[in-house]
PDB file of all heavy atoms in Angstrom:
ATOM      1  N   ILE A  14    -133.881  24.351   5.725  1.00 88.00           N
ATOM      2  CA  ILE A  14    -132.943  24.229   6.848  1.00 88.00           C
ATOM      3  C   ILE A  14    -132.786  25.621   7.454  1.00 88.00           C
ATOM      4  O   ILE A  14    -132.361  26.568   6.759  1.00 88.00           O
ATOM      5  CB  ILE A  14    -131.594  23.653   6.405  1.00 88.00           C
ATOM      6  CG1 ILE A  14    -131.804  22.293   5.770  1.00 88.00           C
ATOM      7  CG2 ILE A  14    -130.632  23.575   7.587  1.00 88.00           C
ATOM      8  CD1 ILE A  14    -130.561  21.707   5.143  1.00 88.00           C
ATOM      9  N   LEU A  15    -133.109  25.759   8.728  1.00 89.00           N
ATOM     10  CA  LEU A  15    -132.954  26.998   9.454  1.00 89.00           C
ATOM     11  C   LEU A  15    -131.569  27.013  10.099  1.00 89.00           C
ATOM     12  O   LEU A  15    -131.212  26.077  10.834  1.00 89.00           O
ATOM     13  CB  LEU A  15    -134.035  27.106  10.545  1.00 89.00           C
ATOM     14  CG  LEU A  15    -134.007  28.319  11.440  1.00 89.00           C
ATOM     15  CD1 LEU A  15    -134.321  29.575  10.664  1.00 89.00           C
ATOM     16  CD2 LEU A  15    -134.995  28.135  12.575  1.00 89.00           C
ATOM     17  N   VAL A  16    -130.774  28.055   9.808  1.00 85.00           N
ATOM     18  CA  VAL A  16    -129.428  28.193  10.356  1.00 85.00           C
ATOM     19  C   VAL A  16    -129.334  29.550  11.057  1.00 85.00           C
ATOM     20  O   VAL A  16    -129.503  30.575  10.412  1.00 85.00           O
ATOM     21  CB  VAL A  16    -128.348  28.106   9.253  1.00 85.00           C
ATOM     22  CG1 VAL A  16    -126.957  28.216   9.828  1.00 85.00           C
ATOM     23  CG2 VAL A  16    -128.489  26.814   8.455  1.00 85.00           C
ATOM     24  N   PRO A  17    -129.081  29.574  12.364  1.00 79.00           N
ATOM     25  CA  PRO A  17    -128.922  30.842  13.057  1.00 79.00           C
ATOM     26  C   PRO A  17    -127.788  31.672  12.436  1.00 79.00           C
ATOM     27  O   PRO A  17    -126.806  31.090  11.951  1.00 79.00           O
ATOM     28  CB  PRO A  17    -128.565  30.458  14.497  1.00 79.00           C
ATOM     29  CG  PRO A  17    -129.144  29.085  14.647  1.00 79.00           C
ATOM     30  CD  PRO A  17    -128.994  28.452  13.276  1.00 79.00           C
ATOM     31  N   GLU A  18    -127.948  32.978  12.442  1.00 74.00           N
ATOM     32  CA  GLU A  18    -126.976  33.844  11.776  1.00 74.00           C
ATOM     33  C   GLU A  18    -125.630  33.943  12.500  1.00 74.00           C
ATOM     34  O   GLU A  18    -124.651  34.302  11.915  1.00 74.00           O
ATOM     35  CB  GLU A  18    -127.551  35.264  11.623  1.00 74.00           C
ATOM     36  CG  GLU A  18    -128.684  35.314  10.649  1.00 74.00           C
ATOM     37  CD  GLU A  18    -129.217  36.710  10.483  1.00 74.00           C
ATOM     38  OE1 GLU A  18    -130.001  37.143  11.362  1.00 74.00           O
ATOM     39  OE2 GLU A  18    -128.841  37.368   9.495  1.00 74.00           O
ATOM     40  N   LYS A  19    -125.608  33.625  13.788  1.00 68.00           N
ATOM     41  CA  LYS A  19    -124.357  33.684  14.556  1.00 68.00           C
ATOM     42  C   LYS A  19    -123.414  32.546  14.110  1.00 68.00           C
ATOM     43  O   LYS A  19    -123.775  31.387  14.181  1.00 68.00           O
ATOM     44  CB  LYS A  19    -124.618  33.525  16.042  1.00 68.00           C
ATOM     45  CG  LYS A  19    -125.163  34.745  16.716  1.00 68.00           C
ATOM     46  CD  LYS A  19    -125.251  34.450  18.214  1.00 68.00           C
ATOM     47  CE  LYS A  19    -125.631  35.658  18.988  1.00 68.00           C
ATOM     48  NZ  LYS A  19    -125.730  35.346  20.431  1.00 68.00           N
ATOM     49  N   ALA A  20    -122.202  32.909  13.721  1.00 62.00           N
ATOM     50  CA  ALA A  20    -121.214  31.901  13.405  1.00 62.00           C
ATOM     51  C   ALA A  20    -120.796  31.149  14.668  1.00 62.00           C
ATOM     52  O   ALA A  20    -120.743  31.727  15.755  1.00 62.00           O
ATOM     53  CB  ALA A  20    -119.990  32.557  12.774  1.00 62.00           C
ATOM     54  N   GLY A  21    -120.554  29.849  14.541  1.00 60.00           N
ATOM     55  CA  GLY A  21    -120.096  29.061  15.676  1.00 60.00           C
ATOM     56  C   GLY A  21    -121.160  28.774  16.697  1.00 60.00           C
ATOM     57  O   GLY A  21    -120.845  28.430  17.824  1.00 60.00           O
ATOM     58  N   TYR A  22    -122.433  28.947  16.315  1.00 62.00           N
ATOM     59  CA  TYR A  22    -123.516  28.632  17.259  1.00 62.00           C
ATOM     60  C   TYR A  22    -123.384  27.182  17.695  1.00 62.00           C
ATOM     61  O   TYR A  22    -123.118  26.301  16.886  1.00 62.00           O
ATOM     62  CB  TYR A  22    -124.850  28.838  16.520  1.00 62.00           C
ATOM     63  CG  TYR A  22    -125.873  29.628  17.279  1.00 62.00           C
ATOM     64  CD1 TYR A  22    -125.549  30.795  17.961  1.00 62.00           C
ATOM     65  CD2 TYR A  22    -127.203  29.205  17.280  1.00 62.00           C
ATOM     66  CE1 TYR A  22    -126.518  31.507  18.628  1.00 62.00           C
ATOM     67  CE2 TYR A  22    -128.180  29.939  17.950  1.00 62.00           C
ATOM     68  CZ  TYR A  22    -127.820  31.089  18.619  1.00 62.00           C
ATOM     69  OH  TYR A  22    -128.791  31.787  19.267  1.00 62.00           O
ATOM     70  N   PRO A  23    -123.614  26.880  18.964  1.00 59.00           N
ATOM     71  CA  PRO A  23    -123.476  25.500  19.434  1.00 59.00           C
ATOM     72  C   PRO A  23    -124.393  24.583  18.646  1.00 59.00           C
ATOM     73  O   PRO A  23    -125.458  24.985  18.193  1.00 59.00           O
ATOM     74  CB  PRO A  23    -123.907  25.573  20.893  1.00 59.00           C
ATOM     75  CG  PRO A  23    -123.785  26.995  21.285  1.00 59.00           C
ATOM     76  CD  PRO A  23    -123.987  27.807  20.045  1.00 59.00           C
ATOM     77  N   GLY A  24    -124.015  23.350  18.511  1.00 61.00           N
ATOM     78  CA  GLY A  24    -124.744  22.375  17.701  1.00 61.00           C
ATOM     79  C   GLY A  24    -126.056  21.900  18.257  1.00 61.00           C
ATOM     80  O   GLY A  24    -126.735  21.104  17.645  1.00 61.00           O
ATOM     81  N   ASN A  25    -126.466  22.357  19.442  1.00 60.00           N
ATOM     82  CA  ASN A  25    -127.763  21.937  19.954  1.00 60.00           C
ATOM     83  C   ASN A  25    -128.385  23.062  20.773  1.00 60.00           C
ATOM     84  O   ASN A  25    -127.695  23.938  21.288  1.00 60.00           O
ATOM     85  CB  ASN A  25    -127.652  20.665  20.790  1.00 60.00           C
ATOM     86  CG  ASN A  25    -126.714  20.812  21.965  1.00 60.00           C
ATOM     87  OD1 ASN A  25    -126.942  21.640  22.821  1.00 60.00           O
ATOM     88  ND2 ASN A  25    -125.664  20.046  22.001  1.00 60.00           N
ATOM     89  N   LEU A  26    -129.698  23.027  20.867  1.00 63.00           N
ATOM     90  CA  LEU A  26    -130.400  24.102  21.569  1.00 63.00           C
ATOM     91  C   LEU A  26    -130.108  24.129  23.053  1.00 63.00           C
ATOM     92  O   LEU A  26    -130.076  25.186  23.676  1.00 63.00           O
ATOM     93  CB  LEU A  26    -131.893  23.968  21.346  1.00 63.00           C
ATOM     94  CG  LEU A  26    -132.386  24.315  19.944  1.00 63.00           C
ATOM     95  CD1 LEU A  26    -133.850  23.928  19.775  1.00 63.00           C
ATOM     96  CD2 LEU A  26    -132.212  25.785  19.651  1.00 63.00           C
ATOM     97  N   SER A  27    -129.832  22.984  23.660  1.00 63.00           N
ATOM     98  CA  SER A  27    -129.611  22.953  25.095  1.00 63.00           C
ATOM     99  C   SER A  27    -128.296  23.632  25.479  1.00 63.00           C
ATOM    100  O   SER A  27    -128.115  24.040  26.610  1.00 63.00           O
ATOM    101  CB  SER A  27    -129.628  21.511  25.616  1.00 63.00           C
ATOM    102  OG  SER A  27    -128.592  20.766  25.017  1.00 63.00           O
ATOM    103  N   ALA A  28    -127.360  23.777  24.551  1.00 63.00           N
ATOM    104  CA  ALA A  28    -126.089  24.420  24.844  1.00 63.00           C
ATOM    105  C   ALA A  28    -126.158  25.933  24.676  1.00 63.00           C
ATOM    106  O   ALA A  28    -125.242  26.642  25.059  1.00 63.00           O
ATOM    107  CB  ALA A  28    -125.008  23.865  23.935  1.00 63.00           C
ATOM    108  N   GLN A  29    -127.264  26.453  24.166  1.00 64.00           N
ATOM    109  CA  GLN A  29    -127.419  27.892  23.957  1.00 64.00           C
ATOM    110  C   GLN A  29    -127.915  28.557  25.218  1.00 64.00           C
ATOM    111  O   GLN A  29    -128.538  27.936  26.080  1.00 64.00           O
ATOM    112  CB  GLN A  29    -128.420  28.172  22.844  1.00 64.00           C
ATOM    113  CG  GLN A  29    -128.000  27.689  21.506  1.00 64.00           C
ATOM    114  CD  GLN A  29    -129.095  28.014  20.492  1.00 64.00           C
ATOM    115  OE1 GLN A  29    -129.842  28.948  20.637  1.00 64.00           O
ATOM    116  NE2 GLN A  29    -129.152  27.223  19.454  1.00 64.00           N
ATOM    117  N   ALA A  30    -127.673  29.838  25.320  1.00 69.00           N
ATOM    118  CA  ALA A  30    -128.288  30.636  26.395  1.00 69.00           C
ATOM    119  C   ALA A  30    -129.799  30.543  26.234  1.00 69.00           C
ATOM    120  O   ALA A  30    -130.304  30.438  25.116  1.00 69.00           O
ATOM    121  CB  ALA A  30    -127.801  32.054  26.324  1.00 69.00           C
ATOM    122  N   LYS A  31    -130.539  30.605  27.340  1.00 71.00           N
ATOM    123  CA  LYS A  31    -131.999  30.448  27.278  1.00 71.00           C
ATOM    124  C   LYS A  31    -132.645  31.448  26.314  1.00 71.00           C
ATOM    125  O   LYS A  31    -133.539  31.087  25.556  1.00 71.00           O
ATOM    126  CB  LYS A  31    -132.594  30.613  28.667  1.00 71.00           C
ATOM    127  CG  LYS A  31    -132.382  29.427  29.550  1.00 71.00           C
ATOM    128  CD  LYS A  31    -133.050  29.638  30.892  1.00 71.00           C
ATOM    129  CE  LYS A  31    -132.779  28.449  31.790  1.00 71.00           C
ATOM    130  NZ  LYS A  31    -133.427  28.562  33.074  1.00 71.00           N
ATOM    131  N   ARG A  32    -132.182  32.661  26.318  1.00 71.00           N
ATOM    132  CA  ARG A  32    -132.759  33.685  25.445  1.00 71.00           C
ATOM    133  C   ARG A  32    -132.543  33.354  23.971  1.00 71.00           C
ATOM    134  O   ARG A  32    -133.464  33.449  23.163  1.00 71.00           O
ATOM    135  CB  ARG A  32    -132.175  35.050  25.787  1.00 71.00           C
ATOM    136  CG  ARG A  32    -132.798  36.186  25.059  1.00 71.00           C
ATOM    137  CD  ARG A  32    -132.273  37.496  25.582  1.00 71.00           C
ATOM    138  NE  ARG A  32    -132.851  38.575  24.842  1.00 71.00           N
ATOM    139  CZ  ARG A  32    -132.556  39.823  24.997  1.00 71.00           C
ATOM    140  NH1 ARG A  32    -131.655  40.164  25.911  1.00 71.00           N
ATOM    141  NH2 ARG A  32    -133.118  40.758  24.294  1.00 71.00           N
ATOM    142  N   SER A  33    -131.365  32.920  23.613  1.00 77.00           N
ATOM    143  CA  SER A  33    -131.055  32.556  22.232  1.00 77.00           C
ATOM    144  C   SER A  33    -131.834  31.317  21.818  1.00 77.00           C
ATOM    145  O   SER A  33    -132.340  31.231  20.707  1.00 77.00           O
ATOM    146  CB  SER A  33    -129.555  32.279  22.075  1.00 77.00           C
ATOM    147  OG  SER A  33    -128.836  33.455  22.278  1.00 77.00           O
ATOM    148  N   ALA A  34    -131.935  30.329  22.711  1.00 77.00           N
ATOM    149  CA  ALA A  34    -132.669  29.106  22.386  1.00 77.00           C
ATOM    150  C   ALA A  34    -134.144  29.426  22.196  1.00 77.00           C
ATOM    151  O   ALA A  34    -134.778  28.882  21.284  1.00 77.00           O
ATOM    152  CB  ALA A  34    -132.495  28.092  23.521  1.00 77.00           C
ATOM    153  N   ALA A  35    -134.707  30.309  22.990  1.00 82.00           N
ATOM    154  CA  ALA A  35    -136.108  30.685  22.839  1.00 82.00           C
ATOM    155  C   ALA A  35    -136.335  31.398  21.503  1.00 82.00           C
ATOM    156  O   ALA A  35    -137.316  31.137  20.799  1.00 82.00           O
ATOM    157  CB  ALA A  35    -136.563  31.594  23.987  1.00 82.00           C
TER     158      ALA A  35
END
Side-chain angles (χ1 to χ4, degrees):
I14 302 172
L15 178 67
V16 180
E18 291 182 281
K19 283 185 174 179
Y22 227 44
N25 59 60
L26 289 171
S27 62
Q29 295 180 27
K31 286 182 182 182
R32 187 172 178 183
S33 295

